[in-house]
C-alpha cells in the first residue's frame, strides 16, 4: 500500500543530503498519485522504487569520485549499503576507493 512505499522512501532520506528535498517531494507526489488513482502498491513495487533511487545515488557517487571528492563519495556509498545491504556494486566501489 501507499504507506509501505512512503516508509521505504523515508528510509532513503539522509543518504545524500542535497537529495533530501527531492526525495520528500517525490514521496508526497507519489502518495498523491497513488491515492488519486486508487493504485494498490505493495512491497515489491516499493523495492523497485528503492532500486531506482539507489542507481541514481551510485551515479552521484561516481561523479563525486571523478571530481576527486572521495570523502563525500564514501558517505554516499556507505548510506547506500546501509539502505540496501545486498548491493554488491556499491560495496565494490567503496572498497576500490578506500
Amino acid at each position: 500500500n501507499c504507506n509501505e512505499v512512503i516508509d521505504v522512501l523515508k528510509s532513503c532520506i539522509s543518504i545524500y543530503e542535497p537529495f533530501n528535498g527531492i526525495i520528500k517531494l517525490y514521496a508526497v507526489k507519489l502518495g498523491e498519485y497513488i491515492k488519486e488513482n486508487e493504485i494498490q502498491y505493495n512491497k515489491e513495487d516499493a523495492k523497485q522504487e528503492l532500486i531506482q533511487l539507489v542507481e541514481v545515488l551510485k551515479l552521484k557517487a561516481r561523479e563525486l569520485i571523478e571530481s576527486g571528492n572521495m570523502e563525500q563519495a564514501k558517505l554516499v556509498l556507505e548510506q547506500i549499503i546501509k539502505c540496501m545491504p545486498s548491493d554488491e556494486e556499491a560495496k565494490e566501489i567503496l572498497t576500490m576507493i578506500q
Side-chain angles (χ1 to χ4, degrees):
N1 67 31
C2 181
N3 291 333
E4 292 171 344
V5 175
I6 302 303
D7 288 344
V8 169
L9 290 172
K10 282 180 185 176
S11 73
C12 295
I13 294 174
S14 299
I15 287 179
Y16 182 60
E17 187 72 28
F19 285 180
N20 283 354
I22 295 168
I23 293 169
K24 289 176 185 176
L25 178 62
Y26 179 74
V28 169
K29 294 297 181 185
L30 182 60
E32 290 171 359
Y33 176 80
I34 290 169
K35 287 178 184 176
E36 286 172 10
N37 294 284
E38 298 179 5
I39 296 172
Q40 296 300 313
Y41 227 63
N42 60 37
K43 286 183 181 178
E44 190 57 36
D45 296 325
K47 182 178 178 183
Q48 290 305 315
E49 295 285 341
L50 180 59
I51 289 169
Q52 290 176 358
L53 180 60
V54 165
E55 290 304 315
V56 170
L57 291 170
K58 284 192 285 190
L59 287 173
K60 184 61 183 177
R62 287 186 185 99
E63 289 175 16
L64 291 166
I65 292 167
E66 289 175 14
S67 68
N69 193 342
M70 299 302 180
E71 288 306 311
Q72 189 68 41
K74 286 179 187 179
L75 291 174
V76 172
L77 291 165
E78 287 168 353
Q79 290 299 318
I80 290 170
I81 294 166
K82 187 176 177 183
C83 190
M84 186 170 279
S86 62
D87 193 313
E88 294 300 322
E89 183 181 17
K91 292 175 187 175
E92 288 175 24
I93 297 169
L94 183 59
T95 301
M96 288 174 20
I97 64 172
Q98 288 182 329

